[in-house]
């Protein structure tokens, strides 16, 4: 099932028929951590943008592209991955009770942490726990990290937990503060080989 889904994901990314996903069905989270939340809810941190990933599955190099929506409130995180056509391909949820991964036409998968779920189902994994802090341009607490800074004292790279986070582009928001525009994540070594993820933040 894992390999079949990965092939279907790749085919959709390349623009093949969405019939691979049972009539273009999108998954919606059965347990939406943010159900009923309003767009102006200031307790929720949102990041929205585009992603691309290059990874190895078996002995072959694979790639995936699409868009994402990240929502976070306290210890609750929900990450939605969408195809270039706007269909929701996967919803990842993590809170104090553990992690859930939901895919089209499949029962939810659960585990203590989300990285293993994504790796097994999609062929690549986003470091959700680290991203909570890396998206704020700071190391995650609790583990050693190396930080290199640019002339404006902004992080250029953060090396932590086997990942190197490259802060490639910044932009100024309406208040004049610097905001991350693009970051690249590299994991050169791992059980499943190297992995590179690019995140472009639209808002």
């Amino acid at each position: 099932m894992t390999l079949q889904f990965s092939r279907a994901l790749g085919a959709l990314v390349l623009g093949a028929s969405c019939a691979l996903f049972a009539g273009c069905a999108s998954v919606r989270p059965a347990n939406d951590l943010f159900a009923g939340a309003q767009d102006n809810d200031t307790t929720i941190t949102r990041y929205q943008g585009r992603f691309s990933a290059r990874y190895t599955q078996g002995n072959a190099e694979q790639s995936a592209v699409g868009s994402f929506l990240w929502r976070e409130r306290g210890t609750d995180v929900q990450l939605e991955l969408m195809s270039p056509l706007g269909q929701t391909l996967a919803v990842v949820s993590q809170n104090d009770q553990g992690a859930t991964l939901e895919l089209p036409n499949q029962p939810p998968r659960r585990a203590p942490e989300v990285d293993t779920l994504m790796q097994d189902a999609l062929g690549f994994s986003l470091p959700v726990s680290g991203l909570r802090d890396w998206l704020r341009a700071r190391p995650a607490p609790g583990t050693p990290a190396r930080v290199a800074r640019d002339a404006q004292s902004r992080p250029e790279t953060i090396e932590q937990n086997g990942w190197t986070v490259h802060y490639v582009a910044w932009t100024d928001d309406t208040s004049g503060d610097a905001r991350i525009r693009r970051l690249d994540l590299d994991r050169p070594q791992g059980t499943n080989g190297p992995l590179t993820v690019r995140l472009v933040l639209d808002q």
Side-chain angles (χ1 to χ4, degrees), residues 81-140:
L81 299 179
M82 291 156 281
S83 78
L85 302 179
Q87 298 158 326
T88 300
L89 300 179
V91 177
V92 178
S93 304
Q94 182 170 294
N95 59 15
D96 290 337
Q97 283 70 54
T100 303
L101 174 67
E102 298 178 71
L103 305 173
N105 306 311
Q106 296 187 28
R109 307 182 187 197
R110 294 179 173 85
E113 49 83 30
V114 72
D115 293 4
T116 301
L117 283 175
M118 292 187 68
Q119 184 68 57
D120 290 346
L122 303 180
F124 68 94
S125 176
L126 296 177
V128 171
S129 296
L131 275 171
R132 293 170 63 95
D133 290 279
W134 298 339
L135 286 167
R136 292 176 167 84
R138 67 192 185 196

Side-chain angles (χ1 to χ4, degrees), residues 45-47 68 70 72 128 130-138 158 165 167 170 179-180 183 185 199 201:
T45 300
R46 293 176 174 83
Y47 300 99
F68 72 90
W70 171 290
E72 173 189 332
V128 171
L131 275 171
R132 293 170 63 95
D133 290 279
W134 298 339
L135 286 167
R136 292 176 167 84
R138 67 192 185 196
I158 295 177
V165 184
Y167 293 88
W170 299 76
R179 183 174 63 85
I180 300 167
L183 65 162
L185 301 94
L199 299 178
L201 304 182

Side-chain angles (χ1 to χ4, degrees), residues 3 26 50 61 63 90 110 120 153 156 165 183-184:
L3 182 57
S26 291
R50 291 155 285 148
E61 185 172 301
S63 62
R110 294 179 173 85
D120 290 346
S153 296
E156 270 190 333
V165 184
L183 65 162
D184 295 353

